[in-house]
Amino acid sequence: MAIQGGCQCGAIRYEITGDLMGSGVCHCRQCQYSTGGGPNSVALAPKSGFVVTKGQPKHYARKGGSGGEVNQVFCGDCGSPLWSEGVFPFYPVKAGSLDDPSLLEPAIHLWTSEAQPWHRIEPGRPAFPENPPAP
Ligand SMILES: [Zn+2]
Ligand SMILES: [Zn+2]
């Protein structure tokens, strides 16, 4: 079953047809701009199993934590952050843009070195100061 999602105003729609490659919560400073301050909860959609079905999202290019360029993808009409595109074989898709965000069970915490003191880190969940080591 494909997972559907899109932005708040409906101008951008996407579909995840591949199996999710993981999930996580990113605490990095850059993500805090996308979320409004809180940690960034993402589902990892395989690049080969992700398709935009409606609209033309906007991109904002920035430097990623590992030095490569990261494109933050968002709706130019309503401003919803949607996913990012970088060197990884997956797109981290923002949980809040899924039609059913309750699907997401974040598995790990990353970039905890940049977490705010008031970010909650679930006890017992793997946590990494920066990106997790490559699988
Ligand atoms: Zn929108
Ligand atoms: Zn981040």
Side-chain angles (χ1 to χ4, degrees):
M1 258 285 269
I3 298 173
Q4 312 284 334
C7 68
Q8 193 174 8
C9 76
I12 313 293
R13 296 288 302 163
Y14 64 77
E15 194 170 83
I16 303 172
T17 55
D19 290 338
L20 295 181
M21 296 171 72
S23 60
V25 182
C26 186
H27 295 266
C28 85
R29 183 67 186 97
Q30 298 301 319
C31 282
Q32 291 167 27
Y33 285 101
S34 297
T35 62
N40 177 21
S41 303
V42 292
L44 307 183
K47 284 182 174 173
S48 56
F50 180 90
V51 60
V52 177
T53 53
K54 185 183 172 203
Q56 280 287 351
K58 285 197 178 269
H59 292 71
Y60 165 67
R62 65 167 171 87
K63 257 218 174 333
S66 39
E69 188 173 271
V70 175
N71 269 293
Q72 293 180 193
V73 182
F74 60 99
C75 174
D77 291 328
C78 70
S80 301
L82 294 168
W83 65 89
S84 26
E85 301 178 355
V87 296
F88 307 110
F90 51 77
Y91 297 138
V93 178
K94 315 273 183 210
S97 73
L98 302 173
D99 285 355
D100 182 4
S102 73
L103 288 176
L104 195 83
E105 182 58 54
I108 62 166
H109 291 271
L110 55 154
W111 284 93
T112 55
S113 61
E114 296 187 358
Q116 296 305 326
W118 40 269
H119 282 179
R120 184 175 157 78
I121 295 171
E122 291 294 331
R125 197 179 278 167
F128 302 91
E130 295 186 0
N131 282 321

